[in-house]
């Protein structure tokens, strides 16, 4: 299996065959995503044309035109985004935290090399500076070439791109540097495991101002409740403000849903469930980034409504 990284936009590991080699991604014109993270199932998309294939220092990168979801970005055999449904992930991981605090000014994005989170952060007129730390420059370059509607975030003059490891970047960040940290993270496999552990969350908390917020990718309630329970427990130990779990639907992610952990540091109270900071829904700052496709105030609040089985387990971990 190709190396997983802690600062790139890699989200999920790819399964290997019995001989230790990569399983083929495209068979008879269909791309299939197979992984031990979701055993016994696979999601397939019909491929019209492969547009790019390459190997960076960290992972295999592929872009193909699908029959139903537009262009698709794949890293190490795993879907990262499609043109059709990327809005559901990018808008929610960004606006759930940023709409929950007044006037965010300085934001850090860890990973997110496709630029989609940057695009959404740029909607907030109060933001003065956006750092992004992405380890794989090829992901950035490929996204700019094949997904200009996503990578448009890199064109904002407030953005500063750092090519490097996100964990190291956070450790070196001065205390209280950011109003918000958004972690577009890998799954907790291999080196990316540390993105879900207590020391990493401590680095995030240190880098946030009092009342600052973190939002990190936090897996699927249908597939990974054991991982989510650990994330909740770690975050309650580290963050002394609010700690909440939310979720959204993304059809091309395993099980069709993905979750987010939202936490705040001690300081001004943060009520994640009730957004207080409106955004420019039409994206009319600098170069137009188009209207919101998924996020709104109602879906913000609804994202924190959990199915009974998930609510019970998360509340049990929160009470400890």
């Amino acid at each position: 299996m190709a190396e997983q990284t802690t600062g790139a936009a890699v989200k999920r590991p790819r399964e290997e065959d019995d001989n230790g080699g990569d399983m083929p991604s495209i068979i008879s014109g269909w791309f299939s995503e197979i992984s031990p993270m979701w055993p016994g199932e696979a999601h397939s998309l019909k491929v019209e044309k492969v547009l790019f294939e390459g190997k960076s220092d960290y992972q295999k990168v592929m872009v193909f035109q699908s029959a139903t979801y537009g262009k698709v970005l794949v890293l190490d055999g795993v879907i990262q985004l499609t043109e059709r449904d990327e809005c559901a992930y990018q808008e929610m991981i960004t606006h759930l935290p940023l709409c929950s605090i007044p006037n965010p000014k300085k934001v850090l994005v860890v990973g997110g090399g496709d630029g989609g989170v940057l695009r959404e952060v740029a909607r907030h007129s109060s933001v003065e500076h956006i750092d992004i730390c992405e380890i794989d420059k090829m992901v950035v370059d490929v996204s700019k070439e094949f997904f200009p509607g996503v990578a448009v975030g890199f064109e904002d003059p407030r953005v500063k791109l750092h090519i490097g490891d996100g964990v190291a970047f956070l450790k070196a960040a001065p205390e209280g540097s950011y109003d918000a940290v958004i972690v577009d993270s890998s799954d907790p496999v291999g080196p990316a495991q540390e993105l879900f552990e207590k020391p990493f969350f401590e680095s995030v908390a240190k880098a946030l101002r009092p009342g600052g917020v973190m939002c990190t990718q936090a897996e699927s309630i249908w597939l990974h409740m054991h991982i989510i329970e650990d994330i909740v427990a770690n975050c309650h130990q580290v963050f002394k403000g609010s700690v909440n779990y939310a979720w959204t639907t993304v059809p091309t992610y395993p099980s069709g849903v993905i979750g987010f952990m939202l936490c705040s540091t001690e300081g001004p109270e943060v009520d994640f469930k009730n957004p207080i900071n409106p955004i420019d829904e039409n994206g009319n700052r600098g170069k137009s980034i188009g209207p919101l496709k998924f996020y709104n105030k109602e879906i913000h609040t609804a994202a924190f409504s959990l199915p009974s089985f998930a609510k019970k387990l998360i509340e049990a971990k929160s009470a400890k």
Side-chain angles (χ1 to χ4, degrees):
M1 185 165 65
E3 178 184 357
Q4 279 210 306
T5 58
T6 55
V10 185
K11 291 189 177 70
R12 300 181 181 87
R14 184 182 177 193
E15 192 173 26
E16 297 175 348
D17 63 25
D18 293 338
N19 297 318
D22 287 338
M23 296 182 67
S25 297
I26 300 174
I27 301 175
S28 301
W30 287 80
F31 169 86
S32 294
E33 186 178 270
I34 301 170
S35 170
M37 286 286 287
W38 43 93
E41 60 183 278
H43 184 221
S44 299
L45 292 177
K46 188 174 182 180
V47 178
E48 291 189 339
K49 183 179 181 181
V50 175
L51 303 174
F52 176 86
E53 284 186 286
K55 191 177 189 306
S56 73
D57 292 337
Y58 302 98
Q59 57 204 338
K60 294 179 181 178
V61 181
M62 179 171 68
V63 178
F64 68 85
Q65 181 72 41
S66 73
T68 52
Y69 279 84
K71 289 195 289 289
V72 181
L73 174 64
V74 179
L75 301 181
D76 278 345
V78 177
I79 293 173
Q80 305 303 303
L81 66 84
T82 78
E83 288 182 307
R84 181 176 175 182
D85 66 5
E86 56 87 13
C87 58
Y89 180 83
Q90 316 278 22
E91 292 182 16
M92 293 294 277
I93 198 173
T94 305
H95 302 311
L96 288 176
L98 294 188
C99 289
S100 298
I101 57 174
N103 302 312
K105 290 180 168 38
K106 193 172 181 182
V107 178
L108 168 64
V109 179
V110 178
D114 52 66
V117 172
L118 297 177
R119 179 193 66 199
E120 296 307 315
V121 174
R123 294 183 190 274
H124 291 264
S125 60
S126 65
V127 171
E128 298 172 354
H129 183 83
I130 311 165
D131 281 320
I132 175 170
C133 189
E134 162 64 52
I135 203 168
D136 195 340
K137 187 175 183 296
M138 182 179 284
V139 173
V140 176
D141 294 340
V142 168
S143 297
K144 287 180 178 180
E145 180 176 357
F146 294 100
F147 300 90
V150 179
V152 65
F154 286 105
E155 299 180 21
D156 193 286
R158 294 167 290 176
V159 171
K160 184 174 183 180
L161 171 62
H162 307 264
I163 299 296
D165 182 84
V167 173
F169 186 91
L170 261 171
K171 286 181 179 178
E175 186 173 350
S177 297
Y178 297 101
D179 298 286
V181 175
I182 300 172
V183 186
D184 187 0
S185 71
S186 313
D187 282 314
V189 176
Q193 176 67 38
E194 62 184 315
L195 292 172
F196 291 79
E197 294 176 344
K198 191 175 178 181
F200 176 74
F201 293 133
E202 289 172 339
S203 293
V204 174
K206 175 178 170 290
L208 288 170
R209 64 161 174 80
V213 295
M214 174 195 77
C215 184
T216 184
Q217 184 272 112
E219 303 300 327
S220 166
I221 57 174
W222 291 110
L223 300 172
H224 307 124
M225 277 308 303
H226 60 294
I227 298 174
I228 294 169
E229 288 180 273
D230 289 342
I231 297 171
V232 171
N234 285 330
C235 286
H236 270 287
Q237 292 177 29
V238 172
F239 292 93
K240 304 307 179 183
S242 302
V243 176
N244 291 100
Y245 186 88
W247 59 315
T248 189
T249 172
V250 184
T252 53
Y253 283 179
S255 82
V257 302
I258 196 74
F260 309 106
M261 200 74 214
L262 291 115
C263 306
S264 66
T265 55
E266 187 174 12
E269 183 179 357
V270 177
D271 180 5
F272 285 114
K273 298 180 182 180
N274 294 290
I276 60 170
N277 181 29
I279 61 175
D280 182 354
E281 296 186 3
N282 294 315
N284 295 323
R285 179 185 171 114
K287 184 173 180 178
S288 176
I289 54 179
L292 288 168
K293 296 179 180 179
F294 191 89
Y295 176 89
N296 56 50
K297 184 176 180 180
E298 292 76 21
I299 208 164
H300 180 125
T301 299
F304 295 90
S305 297
L306 302 176
S308 296
F309 74 90
K311 182 179 179 182
K312 180 179 179 180
L313 292 173
I314 289 172
E315 286 181 346
K317 286 293 181 180
S318 301
K320 293 183 179 180

